[in-house]
Amino acid sequence: MVGYAIEACKGSKYISETYINSEADIMKKLCDDYGVQFYKRKDELAEDHIVQDQFNYDFLLNIDTENLVMVNPVSPLVLPEDIDSAIKYYEDNQLDCLISVREEKLQSFLDGKPINFNDQALLPMTQNLKPVQLCAWTVCIWNAKKFIEHYEQHGYAVFVGNYGLYPFDPVRSIKVSTEEDFKLAELYLSAKSANAEVTPEYYE
C-alpha cells in the first residue's frame, strides 16, 4: 500500500520531493527501490498513543519545506490527479491547512441525537439532506510555518489557521483499517486493472 502512495506522489505535477516517514528500517529499502527519500522517525514517535500533530511537528522541524502534503498509504486508491486537485484547492483558497473528508447524505446521529435532520417530522429524502462530513485523512496539506508556530504555542496543530475541508471521492478515499477494507480495495484494484467494461441492460 505504501508503494501505491509513492507512485501517486511521483505522478503529481506539484509535489517536488517524496518522503516515507517511518520508524521501520525496512521502509528504507522500499524508498531505495522507488527512488524516494526516507525519514527515520524516532522510536518514541512510533508508540500507539502518538498522533498526527506530533510526528508532523518532528518531520517539519527537520525537513525544510513550505508546505507538507500527506498522502495516506492506508488509502491505496488515491490517484495523482486527486493529489493535484487537492493542492490546487489549497492554493486557490489560500488555506493554511486542508483536510480531506468523505461526504455522506444519510440521516445521522451523534450521541443519540439527530444532527442533519428533524426526527420529529416527516422523514426527509436523503438527496435533500445536508451531507455529514467525515474526516477521511486521504490527502492532507499544511503550511509548515503555521503548523510549527501553532504547535509550539498550543501543543496541537492539525486543524490550524484558515483550514478547509476538501470533499474526496468516496471510493478513492477508502481507508484500509480492517481485513475487510483490504479485500474491498483489492477487489477494486483488480477490477480496474482488468479494464472490465460492463454494458448495462435496460428494461422497459
Side-chain angles (χ1 to χ4, degrees):
M1 290 197 297
V2 175
Y4 283 115
I6 292 173
E7 292 291 3
C9 290
K10 290 176 72 173
S12 166
K13 295 184 295 184
Y14 304 123
I15 291 180
S16 58
E17 198 162 19
T18 300
Y19 285 82
I20 298 301
N21 182 347
S22 175
E23 79 288 350
D25 289 328
I26 193 173
M27 289 298 175
K28 174 66 168 62
K29 176 64 166 62
L30 184 71
C31 290
D32 292 341
D33 291 344
Y34 277 90
V36 298
Q37 302 294 318
F38 176 63
Y39 180 78
K40 173 74 172 178
R41 190 186 301 179
K42 300 171 187 175
D43 288 339
E44 57 265 33
L45 292 175
E47 301 292 335
D48 289 341
H49 65 278
I50 299 299
V51 293
Q52 189 81 45
D53 309 72
Q54 294 160 299
F55 53 76
N56 273 12
Y57 177 67
D58 172 71
F59 181 84
L60 291 172
L61 282 184
N62 292 283
I63 301 297
D64 184 24
T65 184
E66 182 179 354
N67 295 292
L68 171 63
V69 180
M70 182 198 74
V71 178
N72 201 331
V74 299
S75 298
L77 306 183
V78 176
L79 299 175
E81 51 264 39
D82 297 323
I83 300 171
D84 290 345
S85 179
I87 293 172
K88 188 173 186 306
Y89 184 90
Y90 173 85
E91 295 288 351
D92 288 348
N93 291 278
Q94 299 182 326
L95 299 175
D96 299 316
C97 165
L98 175 144
I99 305 295
S100 58
V101 297
R102 186 175 73 251
E103 295 190 334
E104 294 281 1
K105 281 194 172 185
L106 294 171
Q107 292 83 4
S108 303
F109 292 81
L110 178 64
D111 293 331
K113 298 178 181 179
I115 58 175
N116 64 342
F117 75 105
N118 182 359
D119 62 351
Q120 301 301 308
L122 289 172
L123 184 68
M125 293 184 289
T126 54
Q127 60 265 38
N128 294 334
L129 290 173
K130 189 173 183 178
V132 174
Q133 295 179 305
L134 308 173
C135 289
W137 308 111
T138 310
V139 175
C140 299
I141 309 172
W142 295 274
N143 176 278
K145 184 173 182 291
K146 292 286 182 68
F147 188 100
I148 292 171
E149 288 175 350
H150 199 277
Y151 187 90
E152 291 180 346
Q153 185 175 359
H154 302 284
Y156 63 91
V158 166
F159 293 93
V160 60
N162 177 30
Y163 69 82
L165 302 179
Y166 180 71
F168 217 82
D169 181 279
V171 172
R172 294 204 291 277
S173 64
I174 289 174
K175 181 174 179 286
V176 176
S177 299
T178 66
E179 186 176 351
E180 288 72 23
D181 297 332
F182 184 88
K183 289 177 180 177
L184 181 61
E186 192 174 42
L187 283 170
Y188 182 86
L189 288 168
S190 297
K192 183 180 177 183
S193 63
N195 292 319
E197 294 186 6
V198 178
T199 303
E201 295 183 13
Y202 299 96
Y203 294 88
E204 296 181 3

